[in-house]
Amino acid sequence: TSNQTVAIFASDGIGFDILYGEVPPPLQSEGIFPRSCSVFELIAATSIPLLGGGATCSAPSGVRASIRLGPGATLQVGDPVDVFDADAPSQLQGSPVEVEAPADPLKITTTISGPLSTSACAGVQLDGSASSGPGGAIYPLEFLWSVATLSKDGETVPQVWDALLPGVNRETALLTITNGTLEGGLTYVWELRASSSLFGTEETASYVLTVSELPQPQIVVDGGNTRTLFAYSEAEATVSTVFPECYVSATGERNDSAAVFTWELSSSSPPLDPADIKTTDRGRQLRLDPF
């Protein structure tokens, strides 16, 4: 074994190991240190708040002490930690030891869940909170959403995030987009980058979401779609337009003041003279006067 003492982060980022140089066999066999972690309190006392509240220690061998960090820990790669001499547990062992990054940090796994398709009128949530990596709850992963590509009918559409989704928080695991924000008729390829500031590692995942076309206003016949025409009388029908709320949000149109309606006679028995079919108000009102 090397005579040099080193401190190395665990691969999961939630603790670190102190690997001591050669310790005299009597101390190893007697379990003075570090098997019993007898000086862990001295280490913690000089390293708060680096270790966080409730940090714990175990000693799986005579030359290794494993310290698990607690909530609020601020320890980073390169930070110095005081280490005490195994021969004299109350004495510092030379200069502080800088904590090194592990050779094989836990790999980040970026996971996205959500709908594969939605309508232009609907809101949507894409959830990356099942992503995992080093640091756990002590050093949470950092997230950044982006739109990698945007396409319509197979053709790429230029896009800029701020113009595409103004005011949407990109730096969160849960991406929330409100009703009527997404443009219809487009396919979005989202990317979520999860990164660990602790070890400087990252991973990106992609997710495809198809948004259907914006629904068009619906034409409604006031009083229903059926009229009864009595002898020597007239029949009238008036139509109006119902605008979906997201259509209003996307287009700014709130009424059908500029709409023009056209009526067509599909069949009649006996045949109806076209001259007896009259419309007014840009076709909004239909009048049948066959007598």
Side-chain angles (χ1 to χ4, degrees), residues 30-46:
E30 294 170 13
I32 294 177
F33 186 81
R35 183 176 299 153
S36 64
C37 285
S38 59
V39 298
F40 170 63
E41 291 184 4
L42 296 176
I43 297 174
T46 60

Side-chain angles (χ1 to χ4, degrees), residues 126-144:
L126 300 181
D127 191 356
S129 59
S131 302
S132 61
I138 298 177
Y139 303 98
L141 293 174
E142 297 175 356
F143 298 94
L144 182 65

Side-chain angles (χ1 to χ4, degrees), residues 76 108-112 127-146 169-175 191-205:
Q76 299 289 330
I108 296 175
T109 301
T110 306
T111 304
I112 304 173
D127 191 356
S129 59
S131 302
S132 61
I138 298 177
Y139 303 98
L141 293 174
E142 297 175 356
F143 298 94
L144 182 65
W145 291 92
S146 61
N169 183 10
R170 303 171 58 191
E171 300 178 0
T172 176
L174 182 63
L175 181 70
E191 283 188 349
L192 174 61
R193 186 185 73 199
S195 58
S196 165
S197 60
L198 181 63
F199 295 149
T201 55
E202 63 180 47
E203 188 193 62
T204 300

Side-chain angles (χ1 to χ4, degrees), residues 2-291:
S2 166
N3 287 318
Q4 184 178 4
T5 297
V6 296
I8 303 175
F9 258 107
S11 62
D12 65 6
I14 310 178
F16 65 99
D17 288 347
I18 298 175
L19 304 175
Y20 287 85
E22 292 181 356
V23 178
L27 293 180
Q28 294 187 42
S29 60
E30 294 170 13
I32 294 177
F33 186 81
R35 183 176 299 153
S36 64
C37 285
S38 59
V39 298
F40 170 63
E41 291 184 4
L42 296 176
I43 297 174
T46 60
S47 302
I48 293 176
L50 292 179
L51 306 185
T56 60
C57 175
S58 62
S61 73
V63 293
R64 174 183 166 199
S66 293
I67 296 173
R68 301 300 285 175
L69 302 173
T74 61
L75 186 70
Q76 299 289 330
V77 173
D79 281 346
V81 172
D82 290 323
V83 176
F84 289 81
D85 196 322
D87 292 321
S90 63
Q91 301 295 320
L92 287 174
Q93 179 179 289
S95 302
V97 176
E98 291 187 358
V99 183
E100 303 173 14
D104 56 342
L106 183 68
K107 186 179 183 328
I108 296 175
T109 301
T110 306
T111 304
I112 304 173
S113 62
L116 298 177
S117 62
T118 187
S119 74
C121 275
V124 68
Q125 284 189 327
L126 300 181
D127 191 356
S129 59
S131 302
S132 61
I138 298 177
Y139 303 98
L141 293 174
E142 297 175 356
F143 298 94
L144 182 65
W145 291 92
S146 61
V147 178
T149 61
L150 192 62
S151 60
K152 184 178 182 68
D153 300 327
E155 298 292 328
T156 301
V157 178
Q159 50 85 19
V160 178
W161 178 279
D162 289 340
L164 187 67
L165 298 169
V168 174
N169 183 10
R170 303 171 58 191
E171 300 178 0
T172 176
L174 182 63
L175 181 70
T176 301
I177 301 172
T178 55
N179 296 357
T181 303
L182 294 175
E183 184 178 346
L186 298 175
T187 297
Y188 294 73
V189 179
W190 302 88
E191 283 188 349
L192 174 61
R193 186 185 73 199
S195 58
S196 165
S197 60
L198 181 63
F199 295 149
T201 55
E202 63 180 47
E203 188 193 62
T204 300
S206 299
Y207 193 86
V208 179
L209 175 69
T210 301
V211 182
S212 61
E213 291 282 1
L214 190 71
Q216 295 303 303
Q218 302 296 308
I219 297 175
V220 176
V221 180
D222 296 349
N225 295 338
T226 303
R227 294 290 187 279
T228 300
L229 182 62
F230 296 99
Y232 306 105
S233 64
E234 299 176 349
E236 293 183 352
T238 302
V239 296
S240 58
T241 308
V242 177
F243 289 79
E245 184 57 36
C246 69
Y247 183 91
V248 174
S249 301
T251 66
E253 295 184 34
R254 292 188 172 275
N255 57 63
D256 55 7
S257 59
V260 176
F261 302 89
T262 302
W263 296 82
E264 291 185 1
L265 179 64
S266 59
S267 65
S268 68
S269 180
L272 192 63
D273 187 342
D276 295 332
I277 304 174
K278 300 178 177 63
T279 61
T280 58
D281 192 13
R282 301 184 314 283
R284 183 187 305 277
Q285 292 181 322
L286 170 70
R287 174 176 294 176
L288 302 179
D289 185 11
F291 300 101

